[in-house]
């Protein structure tokens, strides 16, 4: 004769949290043209012409700017694509990925 199973079940609580987000930051340099930075912002980060111009000017005047916040994989992918475009054109554009604060 089989034993009866207990009707009491213990629930496990799993804490779910949002995945960490990462900032993609473009840094100013004296060689990469402003037009090229605008092109990268439009093609890689899907910024409008107006947004791209504003971000490029912020980079130019302050030394750097966050151009997007993404999941880690997307942030790294976009940074690599933009860096690759810059190297193909002979520009030393520096792009970093940092955890969002």
């Amino acid at each position: 004769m089989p034993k009866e199973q207990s009707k009491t079940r213990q629930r496990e609580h799993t804490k779910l949290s949002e995945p960490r987000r990462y900032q993609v930051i473009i840094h100013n340099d004296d060689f990469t043209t402003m037009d090229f930075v605008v092109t990268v912002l439009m093609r890689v980060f899907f910024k409008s012409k107006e947004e791209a111009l504003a971000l490029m000017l912020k980079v130019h005047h302050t030394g750097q700017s966050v151009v997007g916040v993404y999941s880690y994989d997307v942030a790294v992918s976009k940074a690599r694509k933009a860096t690759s475009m810059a190297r193909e054109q002979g520009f030393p554009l520096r792009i970093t990925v940092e955890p969002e604060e």
Side-chain angles (χ1 to χ4, degrees):
M1 189 168 189
K3 288 187 177 181
E4 284 189 38
Q5 290 185 352
S6 171
K7 294 188 183 207
T8 305
R9 291 177 51 190
Q10 194 169 6
R11 292 186 181 179
E12 290 185 32
H13 294 282
T14 304
K15 183 179 177 185
L16 297 177
S17 61
E18 290 290 319
R20 193 159 194 189
R21 310 272 291 163
Y22 290 81
Q23 302 173 335
V24 179
I25 301 168
I26 291 185
H27 302 269
N28 191 38
D29 65 67
D30 293 332
F31 304 102
T32 306
T33 65
M34 293 179 181
D35 287 340
F36 181 77
V37 173
V38 169
T39 298
V40 166
L41 290 168
M42 291 172 62
R43 288 188 187 164
V44 178
F45 298 95
F46 303 109
K47 302 297 181 186
S48 68
K49 181 128 183 145
E50 294 76 24
E51 287 177 301
L53 285 167
L55 285 168
M56 176 274 297
L57 287 172
K58 184 175 180 189
V59 170
H60 181 69
H61 292 298
T62 65
Q64 69 182 35
S65 180
V66 174
V67 296
V69 179
Y70 310 95
S71 66
Y72 180 77
D73 290 339
V74 172
V76 169
S77 176
K78 287 183 176 288
R80 284 184 182 152
K81 183 173 182 178
T83 300
S84 176
M85 284 176 64
R87 297 306 177 269
E88 286 173 11
Q89 297 298 314
F91 293 122
L93 183 64
R94 188 165 74 102
I95 300 171
T96 58
V97 174
E98 299 176 7
E100 187 177 39
E101 295 175 2

